[in-house]
């Protein structure tokens, strides 16, 4: 009797049952949105969590078309690899993509930055998202946020109520008992819905492996010029040049999360495939946002403040 093989078989079977449960819950939530909401949308950035949401949507609604469009709030400061992947994946699915542009919000004057060419546009996405919701009259936006990402997101319900100003109040959320969701909203109000709330970063990568999902190449180990700064590895780009006295290093890195170039950093890693990333993720003790997002290091309340202003 090979005890090691038996143990590995038990672990694999348990992992698959766990992923089956998470997938089933997410499909149920996705179908609940389609059934109960008048005009929903699915937020798709090209990142790993939204790639998982697309697979959940496929399992929930194929062979039919999705009962909602895909929406991306584009800061204009995204990594080119991610935007190329986004467009390629949308074309493969044959679905509609609506792009809300922060650059257009700047031109309208609804977003004001000290230097529109170099300042971070990450927080400004909240304004553009609310404008996109109002323009298309969406009453629900499906997103890929997870509770393990950050303290403020751990307070989220699966159906997160937003008032007529698009604001989130953690004290005014609705109870969710026995998988029953209250989706009623008045004109101008909306829901943010998070079908993978109960997933972890490790769950996401294990699901990507099981479903053999394609991802932007920057998720995997590659060499890149970076600047060590405040415990992070800042990528060298026109938006994030070295400061006086800083030196540029070439490191083998990968991105754990993707977002606005001005605030998203890679981590040192040799993980060049999904299996290696799973092994690495299983032992890490730092959340993906804590390890990679400059804007989340300003204070522990920075994400909660942005969410109250309408952020994802």
């Amino acid at each position: 009797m090979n005890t090691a093989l038996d143990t590995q078989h038990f672990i694999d079977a348990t992992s698959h049952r766990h992923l089956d449960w998470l997938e089933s819950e997410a499909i149920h939530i996705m179908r609940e949105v389609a059934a109960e909401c008048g005009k929903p949308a699915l937020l798709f950035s090209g990142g790993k969590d939204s790639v998982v949401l697309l697979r959940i949507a496929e399992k929930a609604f194929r062979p039919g078309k999705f009962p909602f469009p895909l929406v991306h709030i584009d800061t204009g400061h995204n990594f080119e690899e991610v935007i190329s992947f986004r467009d390629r994946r949308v074309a493969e699915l044959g679905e509609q993509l609506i792009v809300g542009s922060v650059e257009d919000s700047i031109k309208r004057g609804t977003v004001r930055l000290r230097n529109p060419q170099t300042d971070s546009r990450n927080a400004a996405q909240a304004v553009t998202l609310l404008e996109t919701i109002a323009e298309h009259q969406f009453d629900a936006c499906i997103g890929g946020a997870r509770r393990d990402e950050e303290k403020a997101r751990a307070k989220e319900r699966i159906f997160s109520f937003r008032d007529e100003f698009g604001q989130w109040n953690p004290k005014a959320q609705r109870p969710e008992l026995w998988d029953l969701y209250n989706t009623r909203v008045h004109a101008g109000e909306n829901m943010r819905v998070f079908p993978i709330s109960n997933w972890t970063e490790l769950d996401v990568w294990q699901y990507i492996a099981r479903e053999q999902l394609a991802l932007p190449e920057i998720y995997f180990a590659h060499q890149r010029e970076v600047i060590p700064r405040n415990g992070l590895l800042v990528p060298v780009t026109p938006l994030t040049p070295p400061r006086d006295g800083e030196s540029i290093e070439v490191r083998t890195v990968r991105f754990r999360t993707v977002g606005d170039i001005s605030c998203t950093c890679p981590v040192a890693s040799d993980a060049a495939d999904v299996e290696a990333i799973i092994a690495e993720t299983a032992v890490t003790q730092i959340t993906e946002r804590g390890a990679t997002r400059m804007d989340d290091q300003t204070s522990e309340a920075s994400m909660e403040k942005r969410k109250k202003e309408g952020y994802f």
Side-chain angles (χ1 to χ4, degrees), residues 53-267:
L53 284 183
L54 284 191
R55 176 50 57 92
I56 297 298
E58 287 184 279
K59 293 197 173 187
F61 305 114
R62 287 295 193 238
K65 298 281 286 184
F66 292 172
F68 37 64
L70 309 180
V71 171
H72 182 213
I73 305 304
D74 187 354
T75 65
H77 289 172
N78 294 290
F79 292 96
E80 180 55 39
E81 300 97 320
V82 180
I83 296 301
S84 296
F85 174 85
R86 178 202 71 183
D87 293 342
R88 185 167 65 252
R89 190 72 187 101
V90 171
E92 290 169 354
L93 289 168
E95 297 291 343
Q96 178 190 8
L97 175 66
I98 295 170
V99 178
S101 169
V102 173
E103 184 68 36
D104 289 343
S105 297
I106 292 172
K107 292 176 181 177
R108 284 192 293 268
T110 52
V111 167
R112 297 181 181 180
L113 302 173
R114 286 176 298 178
N115 188 332
Q117 301 306 313
T118 59
D119 285 358
S120 175
R121 299 181 177 186
N122 195 47
Q125 290 180 90
V127 174
T128 307
L129 174 60
L130 294 178
E131 290 175 343
T132 304
I133 289 172
E135 178 183 354
H136 297 276
Q137 299 182 320
F138 295 131
D139 60 353
C141 288
I142 305 166
R146 308 185 321 270
R147 289 177 178 143
D148 75 321
E149 286 183 82
E150 198 272 340
K151 291 180 179 179
R153 284 184 165 164
K155 299 178 182 179
E156 284 278 20
R157 300 294 170 85
I158 291 175
F159 279 74
S160 179
F161 173 74
R162 305 299 173 99
D163 65 21
E164 65 271 24
F165 302 106
Q167 296 177 333
W168 172 70
N169 181 353
K171 296 181 180 179
Q173 297 304 303
R174 299 166 176 179
E176 294 180 342
L177 305 175
W178 306 291
D179 296 332
L180 298 175
Y181 306 110
N182 181 353
T183 62
R184 294 180 181 178
V185 294
H186 296 294
E189 299 171 342
N190 66 86
M191 288 285 182
R192 309 288 170 80
V193 185
F194 305 112
I196 61 172
S197 286
N198 293 324
W199 298 44
T200 65
E201 183 183 10
L202 182 59
D203 294 328
V204 167
W205 280 109
Q206 289 178 325
Y207 190 75
I208 287 168
R210 189 180 83 169
E211 300 295 311
Q212 299 182 327
L213 302 179
L215 291 173
E217 58 196 35
I218 66 173
Y219 275 111
F220 304 99
H222 59 283
Q223 288 199 321
R224 184 178 290 264
E225 290 186 337
V226 297
I227 309 156
R229 183 187 299 163
N230 299 327
L232 299 175
L233 298 177
V234 179
V236 178
T237 73
L239 294 170
T240 52
R243 297 171 181 169
D244 291 341
E246 291 183 330
S247 58
I248 297 174
E249 301 179 8
V250 177
R251 297 271 196 98
T252 301
V253 300
R254 68 177 179 88
F255 286 81
R256 288 175 67 183
T257 182
V258 296
D260 190 282
I261 290 173
S262 63
C263 64
T264 306
C265 299
V267 296

